Amino acid sequence: MSRTALLLLADGRFPAGGHAHSGGMEAAVASGCVHDTAGLEAFCRGRLHTAGLTAAGLAAAAATGHDPLALDEAADTRTPAPALRRIARSLGRQLMRAARVTWPGAELDHLARHRPQGAHQPIVLGVTARAAGLSPLDAAHAAAYESVGGPATAAVRLLSLDPFEATSVLARLAGDCDAVAAAAAEAAERVAAEGVTVLPAVSAPLLDITGEQHAARPVRLFAS
Amino acid sequence: MHLDHPLTMPHRYTHSADPERPDGSHRALRIGFGGPVGSGKTATVAALCRTLRDRLSIAVVTNDIYTQEDAAFLRREAVLPPERITAVETGACPHTAIRDDISANLEAVEQLEQDLGPLDLILIESGGDNLTATFSRGLADTQVFVIDVASGDDIPRKGGPGITTADLLVVNKTDLAPYVGADLDTMRADTRRQRGDLPYAFTSLTAPDGIRPVTDWVTERLAAWHAGVPR
């Protein structure tokens, strides 16, 4: 594997549309649930161990080369909120665009052809990692880190938080991110033999509910 | 029970458009409109639509910062049918969405072409930003930067990438010059100095046919686009 390829894929500057999304942070700020650095940390920890773990499992499984269309269905099953399904597919389509130029290959083309409106973002992330020569564990790391990196950046913009404090939150979550990625990759290894049901399916009901509410808000900074 | 229904699982039933039109003709010309908040980007886009919609097939992508205000304005003014206007959200960072990470805007552009069939012109309006906000060439084929007289007559002198490099600079609201003490001759001289041979237009959209200089420029660009002349 190329460690640099992982840095590139996980870089917030990778042009795949993520900058317009807060991962539920804007809704949490609007409802008053998150208003300081401690709240940011609690939110990120919760998101990492629920939506983050689920995304990491799907991404790792896609990076093993398992059928991405079957995994895309598994992602639908694990995403009950229609608004969040739409967002996941939209972000998947945007990542696909960037990935096909950055690491062109037949597997990305295959998925794009069968999901022209976008596959779920973690599936595209896993297939992209594979195209970049990365391992399932790398893909899981990228998904886990992304599940907290987006909300932390959004919180800096939404709450005018100290950016150093927000970054230190991510540093404190590094151990949790590693553990989530390892668990996700371990599950992904078993998919070929045991099927997609072994993948994590941890939901965050409040993120699902506020995700729907946020999609209906007329005034907002972030798309999700 | 059959759950695999086109209405609930649309992604399984749709197919992406070919990168080329079947007849091998050009895709739509994409023109970006950037500039500071309140300079008249939306008014310029609206006036262009009203003037050109009878002879060209047009669609608009707006990039609002935190509302759908610009898209709603264009729909309310009925400058185009509502299905021809799409809003993109930019996560508090309008210049990122038109320059550094253009994926959401490209999605919107391609979706419009896919839904509406061949178009002549797609106008992409940036969210109001600062003097450095320019469009990526991966998103817009050509770009217009809109400033206005009322924001200060020293803006052309200050320059910046929008003012010096845009394919057309529009200095709008010239009718307000006497009320805000703006010296149009100075603005014109500074504009010429900053832009060299690049074109510019001083406009007042409240005047009858005040959009004319911009319409003429767009018509020229479109002719060049069809003739295969780059930029």
Side-chain angles (χ1 to χ4, degrees), chain B residues 113-216:
Chain B
E113 290 199 288
Q114 194 176 316
D115 293 347
L116 300 169
L119 298 168
D120 297 308
L121 202 55
I122 297 180
L123 310 178
I124 306 162
E125 184 193 336
S126 163
D129 209 306
N130 60 47
L131 297 175
T132 66
T134 51
F135 282 79
S136 160
R137 293 285 168 197
L139 174 62
D141 300 304
T142 185
Q143 54 193 302
V144 179
F145 201 72
V146 183
I147 60 172
D148 77 287
V149 163
S151 304
D153 59 6
D154 55 346
I155 289 190
R157 181 168 51 77
K158 287 181 183 165
I163 287 176
T164 56
T165 67
D167 298 297
L168 176 70
L169 177 71
V170 172
V171 182
N172 191 23
K173 306 188 192 178
T174 52
D175 50 306
L176 295 183
Y179 306 106
V180 297
D183 183 343
L184 291 179
D185 290 337
T186 303
M187 291 187 87
R188 213 169 258 119
D190 289 341
T191 298
R192 261 196 292 269
R193 193 160 38 247
Q194 290 285 6
R195 292 182 56 78
D197 294 335
L198 288 172
Y200 60 88
F202 279 62
T203 57
S204 165
L205 298 183
T206 54
D209 206 20
I211 191 66
R212 183 62 178 272
V214 186
T215 315
D216 289 347

Side-chain angles (χ1 to χ4, degrees), chain A residues 2-89:
Chain A
S2 158
R3 186 168 287 174
T4 305
L6 177 57
L7 293 173
L8 186 54
L9 182 59
D11 190 336
R13 289 166 293 192
F14 192 75
H19 73 96
H21 296 264
S22 78
M25 179 54 76
E26 185 169 15
V29 167
S31 68
C33 291
V34 174
H35 52 82
D36 58 9
T37 306
L40 166 66
E41 183 156 353
F43 179 95
C44 286
R45 196 178 300 280
R47 188 165 197 260
L48 172 62
H49 286 281
T50 53
L53 175 61
T54 304
L58 291 163
T64 65
H66 192 79
D67 176 14
L69 302 181
L71 290 169
D72 194 49
E73 280 186 26
D76 258 344
T77 312
R78 286 159 174 75
T79 316
L84 298 186
R85 282 188 185 185
R86 279 195 302 278
I87 294 294
R89 289 194 182 283

Side-chain angles (χ1 to χ4, degrees), chain A residues 17 93-94 116-117 157 220, chain B residues 14 66 89 91 101 103 107 110:
Chain A
R93 189 160 116 164
Q94 292 180 56
Q117 296 299 311
R157 294 188 199 168
R220 55 183 188 226
Chain B
T14 46
Y66 51 84
E89 288 162 297
D101 184 351
S103 52
E107 293 283 285
E110 289 176 6

Side-chain angles (χ1 to χ4, degrees), chain A residues 14-20 72-73 76 85 89-90 93-94 97 114-118 157 218-223, chain B residues 9-12 14-16 65-68 89-93 96-97 100-101 103-104 106-107 110-111 114:
Chain A
F14 192 75
H19 73 96
D72 194 49
E73 280 186 26
D76 258 344
R85 282 188 185 185
R89 289 194 182 283
S90 162
R93 189 160 116 164
Q94 292 180 56
R97 177 190 297 280
H114 287 85
R115 289 289 181 270
Q117 296 299 311
R157 294 188 199 168
V219 175
R220 55 183 188 226
L221 280 177
F222 292 91
Chain B
M9 298 286 177
H11 51 278
R12 294 188 188 157
T14 46
H15 303 276
S16 63
I65 305 175
Y66 51 84
T67 63
Q68 300 238 339
E89 288 162 297
T90 59
C93 233
T96 304
D100 312 289
D101 184 351
S103 52
L106 279 174
E107 293 283 285
E110 289 176 6
Q111 193 69 50
Q114 194 176 316

